[in-house]
Amino acid sequence: QTCALPISEIGKAELSTGAIISSPYIGNMISSQQGVSWNIDQTKDLTDTDKENVECLAWNLYFEARGGTTNEQISVAYVPINRTHAPHWSNNICENVFQYNYVNGRKAYQFIWAGFNISPRWPVEHETWKKVQFIAYQVYRGEVADPSNGALYFNHHSVGGGRGSIRIGSHLFFK
């Protein structure tokens, strides 16, 4: 069974772990003591919903591809966006980032980091965080093309991919 929780459910059920980011999807993963903040001035022109979508993309980039090439990061950012246009997926980017299935009675998140109990004291790479925020913003605004050709999934190349996979950096992207 695939589940995409609404904001109210995620805020209550999923994120009572002490983990934090400012969106209701992500909870409170950012510790103000660490100085982790939103660093994109351009987001002033975005609605609150747009900002939340960009933030979900940025956190997904940070945890899935922060060490990857720029094209790899752009491709990773496009996957939850591409899913909004595909059947069987939510039309909400954040719901796609935090979607999960039940496998053998346990939650298996689409993006593995989304199910982690992340400590408020996790070490953040500040320059990398700034970079992934900017990439997330550019991708969300459609300012850069999708190198993944509309991929709905990606895996590390060592895991393998689906039919028609293309390799970008250390990941395989496929539909």
Side-chain angles (χ1 to χ4, degrees):
Q1 178 183 12
T2 300
C3 301
L5 295 177
I7 294 172
S8 59
E9 290 292 316
I10 291 173
K12 292 176 187 171
E14 294 301 301
L15 300 171
S16 58
T17 60
I20 324 207
I21 296 176
S22 62
S23 130
Y25 280 97
I26 308 169
N28 283 329
M29 204 159 79
I30 296 175
S31 169
S32 59
Q33 299 92 321
Q34 290 184 294
V36 178
S37 60
W38 197 244
N39 297 307
I40 304 174
D41 291 336
Q42 297 94 323
T43 61
K44 293 175 189 166
D45 66 332
L46 298 178
T47 67
D48 288 344
T49 299
D50 289 338
K51 287 178 186 176
E52 183 174 86
N53 285 325
V54 171
E55 187 175 4
C56 286
L57 291 174
W59 284 108
N60 201 42
L61 275 175
Y62 185 83
F63 286 110
E64 292 287 345
R66 71 178 169 267
T69 66
T70 300
N71 271 348
E72 186 175 8
Q73 291 173 339
I74 291 168
S75 297
V76 166
Y78 263 108
V79 167
I81 292 172
N82 294 340
R83 289 177 177 183
T84 65
H85 307 293
H88 310 295
W89 294 95
S90 172
N91 64 357
N92 180 293
I93 291 169
C94 290
E95 286 179 5
N96 287 327
V97 169
F98 289 94
Q99 190 168 20
Y100 60 87
N101 295 321
Y102 280 99
V103 178
N104 297 324
R106 298 186 68 178
K107 286 182 185 176
Y109 286 85
Q110 293 291 317
F111 301 104
I112 195 163
W113 71 270
F116 289 169
N117 181 4
I118 299 169
S119 164
R121 302 205 188 289
W122 61 277
V124 64
E125 300 166 18
H126 292 283
E127 290 307 310
T128 302
W129 173 234
K130 287 178 189 177
K131 179 184 177 188
V132 299
Q133 288 178 77
F134 187 68
I135 290 171
Y137 175 78
Q138 287 183 308
V139 167
Y140 185 76
R141 296 288 302 245
E143 295 173 4
V144 292
D146 178 3
S148 78
N149 295 323
L152 299 176
Y153 306 93
F154 65 89
N155 284 326
H156 189 269
H157 70 87
S158 64
V159 175
R163 263 181 69 155
S165 295
I166 58 171
R167 184 169 175 171
I168 303 171
S170 63
H171 287 92
L172 295 173
F173 294 84
F174 53 100
K175 293 183 183 179

Coordinates of all heavy atoms in Angstrom, one line a residue, residues 10-90:
I10 N 1.3 14.3 8.7 CA 2.8 14.3 8.8 C 3.2 15.1 10.0 O 4.0 14.7 10.8 CB 3.4 14.8 7.5 CG1 3.1 13.8 6.4 CG2 4.9 15.0 7.7 CD1 3.6 14.2 5.1
G11 N 2.6 16.3 10.2 CA 3.0 17.1 11.3 C 2.8 16.4 12.6 O 3.6 16.6 13.5
K12 N 1.8 15.6 12.7 CA 1.5 15.0 14.0 C 2.1 13.6 14.1 O 2.8 13.3 15.1 CB -0.1 14.8 14.2 CG -0.8 16.1 14.3 CD -2.3 15.8 14.4 CE -3.1 17.1 14.3 NZ -4.5 16.9 14.1
A13 N 1.9 12.7 13.2 CA 2.3 11.4 13.3 C 3.7 11.1 12.9 O 4.4 10.3 13.6 CB 1.4 10.5 12.4
E14 N 4.2 11.7 11.9 CA 5.5 11.3 11.4 C 6.6 12.1 12.0 O 7.7 11.6 12.0 CB 5.6 11.6 9.9 CG 4.6 10.8 9.1 CD 4.9 9.3 9.3 OE1 6.1 8.9 9.0 OE2 4.1 8.6 9.7
L15 N 6.4 13.3 12.5 CA 7.5 14.1 12.9 C 7.5 14.4 14.4 O 8.0 15.4 14.8 CB 7.5 15.4 12.1 CG 7.6 15.0 10.6 CD1 7.4 16.2 9.8 CD2 8.9 14.4 10.3
S16 N 7.1 13.5 15.2 CA 7.1 13.7 16.6 C 8.5 13.0 17.1 O 8.6 12.6 18.2 CB 6.0 13.0 17.3 OG 5.9 11.6 17.0
T17 N 9.4 13.0 16.3 CA 10.7 12.3 16.5 C 11.8 13.2 17.1 O 12.9 12.8 17.4 CB 11.2 11.7 15.2 OG1 11.4 12.7 14.3 CG2 10.3 10.7 14.7
G18 N 11.6 14.5 17.1 CA 12.6 15.4 17.4 C 13.4 15.9 16.2 O 14.3 16.8 16.3
A19 N 13.2 15.3 15.1 CA 13.9 15.7 13.9 C 13.2 17.0 13.3 O 12.0 17.2 13.6 CB 13.8 14.6 12.9
I20 N 13.9 17.9 12.7 CA 13.3 19.1 12.3 C 13.7 19.8 11.0 O 14.9 19.9 10.7 CB 13.6 20.2 13.4 CG1 13.7 19.6 14.7 CG2 12.7 21.3 13.3 CD1 13.4 20.5 15.8
I21 N 12.7 20.3 10.3 CA 12.9 21.3 9.2 C 11.7 22.2 9.3 O 10.7 21.8 9.9 CB 13.0 20.6 7.8 CG1 14.2 19.7 7.8 CG2 13.1 21.5 6.7 CD1 14.3 18.8 6.6
S22 N 11.7 23.3 8.7 CA 10.7 24.3 8.9 C 9.3 24.0 8.3 O 8.3 24.5 8.7 CB 11.1 25.7 8.5 OG 11.4 25.7 7.1
S23 N 9.2 23.1 7.3 CA 8.0 22.8 6.7 C 7.2 21.8 7.5 O 7.8 21.0 8.2 CB 8.2 22.3 5.3 OG 7.6 21.2 5.0
P24 N 5.9 21.8 7.5 CA 5.1 20.8 8.2 C 5.4 19.4 7.7 O 5.2 18.5 8.4 CB 3.7 21.2 8.0 CG 3.6 22.2 7.0 CD 5.0 22.8 6.8
Y25 N 5.9 19.3 6.5 CA 6.2 18.0 6.0 C 7.5 17.4 6.7 O 7.6 16.3 6.8 CB 6.5 18.0 4.5 CG 5.3 18.0 3.7 CD1 4.7 19.2 3.2 CD2 4.6 16.8 3.4 CE1 3.6 19.2 2.5 CE2 3.4 16.8 2.7 CZ 2.9 18.0 2.2 OH 1.8 18.0 1.5
I26 N 8.3 18.3 7.0 CA 9.6 17.8 7.5 C 9.8 18.0 9.0 O 10.6 17.4 9.6 CB 10.7 18.6 6.7 CG1 10.5 18.5 5.2 CG2 12.1 18.1 7.1 CD1 11.3 19.4 4.4
G27 N 8.9 18.8 9.6 CA 9.0 18.9 11.1 C 10.0 20.0 11.5 O 10.1 21.0 10.8
N28 N 10.8 19.7 12.5 CA 11.7 20.7 13.0 C 13.1 20.2 13.0 O 13.8 20.0 14.0 CB 11.4 21.1 14.5 CG 10.2 22.0 14.5 OD1 10.1 22.8 13.6 ND2 9.4 21.9 15.6
M29 N 13.6 19.8 11.8 CA 14.9 19.2 11.7 C 16.1 20.3 11.8 O 17.2 19.9 12.0 CB 15.1 18.5 10.4 CG 16.1 17.4 10.4 SD 15.8 16.3 9.1 CE 16.4 17.1 7.7
I30 N 15.8 21.5 11.6 CA 16.8 22.6 11.7 C 16.9 23.1 13.1 O 16.0 23.5 13.7 CB 16.4 23.7 10.8 CG1 16.4 23.3 9.3 CG2 17.4 24.9 10.9 CD1 16.0 24.4 8.4
S31 N 18.1 23.1 13.6 CA 18.4 23.6 14.9 C 18.9 25.0 14.8 O 19.8 25.3 14.1 CB 19.4 22.8 15.6 OG 19.9 23.4 16.8
S32 N 18.2 26.0 15.4 CA 18.6 27.4 15.3 C 20.0 27.6 15.8 O 20.7 28.5 15.4 CB 17.5 28.3 15.9 OG 17.4 27.9 17.3
Q33 N 20.4 26.8 16.8 CA 21.7 26.9 17.3 C 22.8 26.7 16.3 O 23.9 27.1 16.4 CB 22.0 26.0 18.5 CG 21.0 26.1 19.7 CD 19.8 25.2 19.6 OE1 19.3 25.0 18.5 NE2 19.4 24.7 20.7
Q34 N 22.5 25.9 15.3 CA 23.5 25.5 14.3 C 23.5 26.6 13.2 O 24.4 26.5 12.3 CB 23.2 24.2 13.6 CG 23.4 23.0 14.5 CD 23.1 21.8 13.8 OE1 22.0 21.5 13.4 NE2 24.2 21.0 13.6
G35 N 22.6 27.5 13.2 CA 22.6 28.5 12.1 C 22.2 28.0 10.8 O 22.6 28.6 9.8
V36 N 21.5 26.9 10.7 CA 21.0 26.4 9.4 C 19.8 27.3 9.1 O 18.8 27.4 9.8 CB 20.6 25.0 9.5 CG1 20.0 24.5 8.2 CG2 21.8 24.1 10.0
S37 N 19.8 27.9 7.9 CA 18.7 28.8 7.5 C 18.5 28.7 6.0 O 19.3 28.2 5.3 CB 19.0 30.2 8.0 OG 20.2 30.7 7.3
W38 N 17.4 29.3 5.7 CA 17.0 29.5 4.2 C 17.8 30.6 3.7 O 17.7 31.7 4.2 CB 15.5 29.7 4.2 CG 15.0 29.4 2.8 CD1 14.5 30.4 2.0 CD2 15.0 28.2 2.1 NE1 14.1 29.7 0.8 CE2 14.4 28.4 0.9 CE3 15.4 26.9 2.4 CZ2 14.3 27.4 -0.1 CZ3 15.3 25.9 1.5 CH2 14.7 26.2 0.2
N39 N 18.6 30.3 2.6 CA 19.6 31.3 2.2 C 19.3 31.9 0.8 O 20.2 32.4 0.1 CB 21.0 30.7 2.1 CG 21.4 30.3 3.5 OD1 21.4 31.1 4.4 ND2 21.8 29.0 3.7
I40 N 18.1 31.7 0.3 CA 17.8 32.1 -1.1 C 17.0 33.4 -1.1 O 15.8 33.4 -0.8 CB 17.1 31.0 -1.9 CG1 18.0 29.8 -1.9 CG2 16.9 31.5 -3.3 CD1 17.3 28.6 -2.5
D41 N 17.6 34.5 -1.4 CA 16.9 35.8 -1.4 C 15.7 35.8 -2.5 O 14.7 36.4 -2.3 CB 17.8 37.0 -1.7 CG 18.7 37.2 -0.6 OD1 18.4 36.9 0.6 OD2 19.8 37.8 -0.9
Q42 N 16.0 35.1 -3.6 CA 15.0 35.1 -4.7 C 13.6 34.5 -4.3 O 12.6 34.7 -4.9 CB 15.5 34.3 -5.9 CG 16.7 34.8 -6.5 CD 18.0 34.2 -5.9 OE1 18.1 33.9 -4.8 NE2 19.0 34.1 -6.8
T43 N 13.6 33.7 -3.2 CA 12.3 33.1 -2.8 C 11.3 34.1 -2.3 O 10.1 33.7 -2.1 CB 12.5 32.0 -1.7 OG1 13.1 32.6 -0.5 CG2 13.4 30.9 -2.2
K44 N 11.7 35.3 -2.2 CA 10.7 36.4 -1.8 C 9.5 36.5 -2.7 O 8.4 36.8 -2.3 CB 11.4 37.7 -1.7 CG 12.4 37.8 -0.6 CD 13.2 39.1 -0.6 CE 14.4 39.1 0.4 NZ 15.3 40.1 0.1
D45 N 9.7 36.1 -4.0 CA 8.7 36.2 -5.0 C 7.8 34.9 -5.0 O 6.8 34.8 -5.8 CB 9.2 36.4 -6.4 CG 10.1 35.3 -6.9 OD1 10.7 34.6 -6.1 OD2 10.2 35.1 -8.1
L46 N 8.1 34.0 -4.1 CA 7.3 32.7 -4.1 C 6.2 32.7 -3.1 O 6.3 33.4 -2.0 CB 8.2 31.5 -3.8 CG 9.3 31.2 -4.8 CD1 10.2 30.1 -4.3 CD2 8.8 31.0 -6.2
T47 N 5.1 32.0 -3.3 CA 4.1 31.9 -2.3 C 4.6 30.9 -1.3 O 5.6 30.3 -1.4 CB 2.8 31.2 -3.0 OG1 3.1 29.9 -3.4 CG2 2.3 32.0 -4.2
D48 N 3.9 30.8 -0.2 CA 4.2 29.9 0.9 C 4.3 28.5 0.4 O 5.2 27.7 0.8 CB 3.3 30.0 2.1 CG 3.5 31.3 2.9 OD1 4.6 32.0 2.7 OD2 2.6 31.7 3.7
T49 N 3.3 28.1 -0.4 CA 3.3 26.7 -0.9 C 4.5 26.5 -1.8 O 5.2 25.4 -1.8 CB 2.0 26.5 -1.7 OG1 0.9 26.6 -0.9 CG2 2.0 25.1 -2.4
D50 N 4.9 27.5 -2.7 CA 6.0 27.4 -3.5 C 7.3 27.2 -2.7 O 8.2 26.4 -3.0 CB 6.2 28.6 -4.4 CG 5.1 28.6 -5.5 OD1 4.6 27.6 -5.9 OD2 4.9 29.7 -6.0
K51 N 7.4 28.0 -1.6 CA 8.6 27.9 -0.8 C 8.7 26.6 -0.1 O 9.8 26.0 0.0 CB 8.5 29.0 0.3 CG 8.8 30.4 -0.2 CD 8.7 31.4 0.9 CE 8.8 32.8 0.4 NZ 8.6 33.9 1.4
E52 N 7.6 26.0 0.3 CA 7.6 24.7 0.9 C 8.0 23.6 -0.1 O 8.8 22.8 0.2 CB 6.2 24.4 1.4 CG 6.1 23.0 2.1 CD 4.7 22.8 2.7 OE1 3.8 22.3 2.0 OE2 4.5 23.2 3.9
N53 N 7.6 23.8 -1.3 CA 8.0 22.8 -2.4 C 9.5 22.9 -2.6 O 10.2 21.9 -2.7 CB 7.2 23.0 -3.7 CG 5.8 22.5 -3.6 OD1 5.6 21.5 -3.0 ND2 4.9 23.2 -4.2
V54 N 10.0 24.1 -2.7 CA 11.4 24.3 -2.9 C 12.2 23.8 -1.7 O 13.2 23.1 -1.9 CB 11.8 25.8 -3.1 CG1 13.3 26.1 -3.2 CG2 11.2 26.3 -4.5
E55 N 11.7 24.0 -0.5 CA 12.4 23.5 0.6 C 12.4 21.9 0.6 O 13.5 21.3 0.9 CB 11.7 24.0 1.9 CG 12.5 23.6 3.1 CD 11.9 24.2 4.4 OE1 10.9 24.9 4.3 OE2 12.5 24.0 5.5
C56 N 11.3 21.3 0.3 CA 11.3 19.8 0.2 C 12.3 19.3 -0.8 O 13.0 18.4 -0.6 CB 9.9 19.3 -0.1 SG 8.7 19.4 1.3
L57 N 12.4 20.0 -2.0 CA 13.4 19.6 -3.0 C 14.8 19.8 -2.5 O 15.6 19.0 -2.7 CB 13.2 20.5 -4.3 CG 11.9 20.2 -5.1 CD1 11.8 21.3 -6.2 CD2 11.9 18.8 -5.6
A58 N 15.0 20.9 -1.8 CA 16.4 21.2 -1.2 C 16.8 20.1 -0.2 O 17.9 19.6 -0.3 CB 16.4 22.6 -0.6
W59 N 15.9 19.8 0.7 CA 16.3 18.7 1.7 C 16.5 17.4 1.0 O 17.4 16.6 1.4 CB 15.2 18.6 2.8 CG 15.4 19.8 3.7 CD1 14.5 20.9 3.9 CD2 16.4 20.0 4.6 NE1 15.0 21.7 4.8 CE2 16.2 21.2 5.3 CE3 17.6 19.3 5.0 CZ2 17.0 21.8 6.3 CZ3 18.5 19.9 5.9 CH2 18.2 21.1 6.6
N60 N 15.7 17.1 0.0 CA 15.9 15.8 -0.7 C 17.2 15.8 -1.4 O 18.0 14.9 -1.4 CB 14.7 15.6 -1.7 CG 14.6 14.1 -2.1 OD1 14.7 13.3 -1.2 ND2 14.4 13.9 -3.3
L61 N 17.6 16.9 -2.0 CA 18.9 17.1 -2.7 C 20.0 16.9 -1.7 O 21.0 16.2 -1.9 CB 19.0 18.5 -3.3 CG 18.5 18.6 -4.7 CD1 18.6 20.1 -5.1 CD2 19.2 17.7 -5.7
Y62 N 19.8 17.6 -0.5 CA 20.9 17.6 0.5 C 21.2 16.1 0.9 O 22.3 15.7 1.0 CB 20.5 18.4 1.7 CG 21.6 18.5 2.7 CD1 22.7 19.4 2.5 CD2 21.7 17.7 3.8 CE1 23.7 19.5 3.4 CE2 22.7 17.7 4.7 CZ 23.7 18.7 4.5 OH 24.8 18.7 5.4
F63 N 20.2 15.4 1.2 CA 20.4 14.0 1.7 C 20.6 13.0 0.6 O 21.2 11.9 0.9 CB 19.2 13.6 2.6 CG 19.2 14.3 3.9 CD1 18.3 15.3 4.3 CD2 20.2 14.0 4.9 CE1 18.3 15.9 5.5 CE2 20.3 14.7 6.1 CZ 19.3 15.7 6.4
E64 N 20.1 13.2 -0.6 CA 20.2 12.2 -1.6 C 21.4 12.4 -2.5 O 22.0 11.4 -3.1 CB 19.0 12.1 -2.5 CG 17.8 11.6 -1.8 CD 17.8 10.1 -1.6 OE1 18.6 9.4 -2.2 OE2 17.0 9.6 -0.7
A65 N 21.8 13.7 -2.7 CA 22.8 13.9 -3.8 C 23.8 15.1 -3.5 O 24.4 15.6 -4.4 CB 22.1 14.2 -5.1
R66 N 24.0 15.4 -2.2 CA 24.8 16.6 -1.9 C 26.3 16.4 -2.4 O 26.9 17.4 -2.7 CB 24.8 16.9 -0.4 CG 25.5 16.0 0.5 CD 25.5 16.5 1.9 NE 25.9 15.5 2.9 CZ 25.1 14.6 3.5 NH1 23.9 14.6 3.3 NH2 25.7 13.8 4.3
G67 N 26.8 15.2 -2.6 CA 28.1 15.0 -3.1 C 28.2 14.8 -4.6 O 29.3 14.6 -5.1
G68 N 27.0 14.9 -5.2 CA 27.0 14.6 -6.7 C 27.3 15.7 -7.6 O 27.6 16.9 -7.1
T69 N 27.4 15.4 -8.8 CA 27.6 16.5 -9.8 C 26.4 17.4 -9.9 O 25.3 17.0 -9.4 CB 27.9 15.9 -11.2 OG1 26.7 15.3 -11.6 CG2 29.0 14.9 -11.2
T70 N 26.6 18.6 -10.5 CA 25.5 19.5 -10.6 C 24.3 18.9 -11.4 O 23.2 18.9 -11.1 CB 25.9 20.8 -11.2 OG1 26.9 21.4 -10.3 CG2 24.8 21.8 -11.3
N71 N 24.7 18.2 -12.6 CA 23.6 17.6 -13.4 C 22.9 16.5 -12.6 O 21.7 16.3 -12.7 CB 24.2 17.0 -14.7 CG 24.2 18.0 -15.8 OD1 23.5 19.1 -15.7 ND2 24.9 17.7 -16.8
E72 N 23.7 15.7 -11.8 CA 23.1 14.7 -10.9 C 22.1 15.3 -9.9 O 21.0 14.8 -9.7 CB 24.2 14.0 -10.2 CG 23.8 12.8 -9.4 CD 25.1 12.1 -8.9 OE1 26.2 12.6 -9.0 OE2 24.9 11.0 -8.3
Q73 N 22.5 16.4 -9.3 CA 21.6 17.1 -8.3 C 20.4 17.6 -9.0 O 19.3 17.5 -8.5 CB 22.4 18.2 -7.6 CG 23.5 17.7 -6.7 CD 24.4 18.7 -6.1 OE1 24.5 19.8 -6.7 NE2 25.0 18.4 -5.0
I74 N 20.5 18.2 -10.2 CA 19.4 18.7 -10.9 C 18.4 17.6 -11.2 O 17.2 17.7 -11.1 CB 19.8 19.4 -12.2 CG1 20.6 20.7 -11.9 CG2 18.6 19.7 -13.1 CD1 21.3 21.4 -13.0
S75 N 19.0 16.4 -11.7 CA 18.1 15.3 -12.0 C 17.4 14.8 -10.8 O 16.2 14.4 -10.8 CB 19.0 14.1 -12.6 OG 19.6 14.6 -13.8
V76 N 18.1 14.7 -9.6 CA 17.5 14.2 -8.4 C 16.3 15.2 -8.0 O 15.2 14.8 -7.6 CB 18.5 14.1 -7.2 CG1 17.8 14.0 -5.9 CG2 19.4 12.9 -7.5
A77 N 16.5 16.5 -8.2 CA 15.5 17.5 -7.9 C 14.3 17.3 -8.8 O 13.1 17.6 -8.3 CB 16.1 18.9 -8.0
Y78 N 14.5 16.9 -10.0 CA 13.4 16.8 -10.9 C 12.5 15.6 -10.7 O 11.3 15.6 -11.0 CB 13.9 16.7 -12.4 CG 13.8 18.1 -13.1 CD1 15.0 18.8 -13.3 CD2 12.6 18.6 -13.4 CE1 14.9 20.1 -14.0 CE2 12.5 19.9 -14.0 CZ 13.6 20.6 -14.3 OH 13.6 21.8 -14.9
V79 N 13.0 14.5 -10.0 CA 12.3 13.3 -9.9 C 10.9 13.6 -9.1 O 9.9 13.2 -9.6 CB 13.1 12.2 -9.2 CG1 12.2 11.0 -8.7 CG2 14.1 11.7 -10.2
P80 N 10.9 14.2 -7.9 CA 9.6 14.5 -7.3 C 8.7 15.4 -8.1 O 7.5 15.3 -8.1 CB 10.0 15.1 -6.0 CG 11.4 14.9 -5.8 CD 12.0 14.7 -7.1
I81 N 9.3 16.3 -8.9 CA 8.5 17.2 -9.8 C 7.9 16.3 -10.9 O 6.7 16.5 -11.2 CB 9.4 18.3 -10.3 CG1 9.8 19.3 -9.2 CG2 8.6 19.1 -11.4 CD1 10.8 20.3 -9.6
N82 N 8.7 15.5 -11.5 CA 8.2 14.6 -12.6 C 7.1 13.8 -12.1 O 6.1 13.5 -12.9 CB 9.3 13.8 -13.2 CG 10.4 14.6 -13.9 OD1 10.1 15.7 -14.3 ND2 11.6 14.0 -14.0
R83 N 7.1 13.3 -10.9 CA 6.1 12.5 -10.3 C 4.8 13.2 -10.2 O 3.7 12.6 -10.2 CB 6.5 11.9 -9.0 CG 7.6 10.9 -9.1 CD 8.1 10.5 -7.7 NE 9.1 9.4 -7.8 CZ 9.7 8.8 -6.8 NH1 9.3 9.1 -5.5 NH2 10.6 7.9 -7.0
T84 N 4.8 14.5 -10.1 CA 3.5 15.3 -10.0 C 2.7 15.2 -11.3 O 1.5 15.5 -11.2 CB 3.7 16.8 -9.6 OG1 4.4 17.4 -10.7 CG2 4.5 16.9 -8.3
H85 N 3.3 14.8 -12.4 CA 2.7 14.7 -13.7 C 2.4 13.3 -14.1 O 1.9 13.0 -15.1 CB 3.5 15.4 -14.8 CG 3.9 16.8 -14.4 ND1 3.0 17.8 -14.3 CD2 5.1 17.3 -14.1 CE1 3.6 18.9 -14.0 NE2 4.9 18.6 -13.9
A86 N 2.7 12.3 -13.2 CA 2.6 10.9 -13.5 C 1.4 10.3 -12.7 O 1.1 10.7 -11.6 CB 3.9 10.2 -13.2
P87 N 0.7 9.3 -13.3 CA -0.3 8.6 -12.6 C 0.2 7.9 -11.4 O 1.4 7.5 -11.4 CB -0.9 7.6 -13.6 CG -0.1 7.8 -14.9 CD 1.0 8.8 -14.7
H88 N -0.6 7.7 -10.4 CA -0.3 7.0 -9.2 C 0.7 7.8 -8.3 O 1.2 7.2 -7.3 CB 0.3 5.6 -9.5 CG -0.5 4.8 -10.4 ND1 -1.7 4.4 -10.1 CD2 -0.2 4.4 -11.7 CE1 -2.2 3.7 -11.2 NE2 -1.3 3.7 -12.1
W89 N 0.9 9.0 -8.6 CA 1.7 9.9 -7.7 C 0.9 11.1 -7.3 O 0.0 11.5 -8.1 CB 3.0 10.3 -8.4 CG 3.9 9.2 -8.7 CD1 4.0 8.4 -9.8 CD2 4.9 8.6 -7.8 NE1 5.0 7.5 -9.7 CE2 5.5 7.5 -8.5 CE3 5.2 8.8 -6.5 CZ2 6.5 6.7 -7.9 CZ3 6.2 8.1 -5.9 CH2 6.8 7.0 -6.6
S90 N 1.2 11.7 -6.2 CA 0.6 12.9 -5.8 C 0.9 14.1 -6.7 O 2.0 14.1 -7.3 CB 1.0 13.3 -4.4 OG 0.5 14.5 -4.0

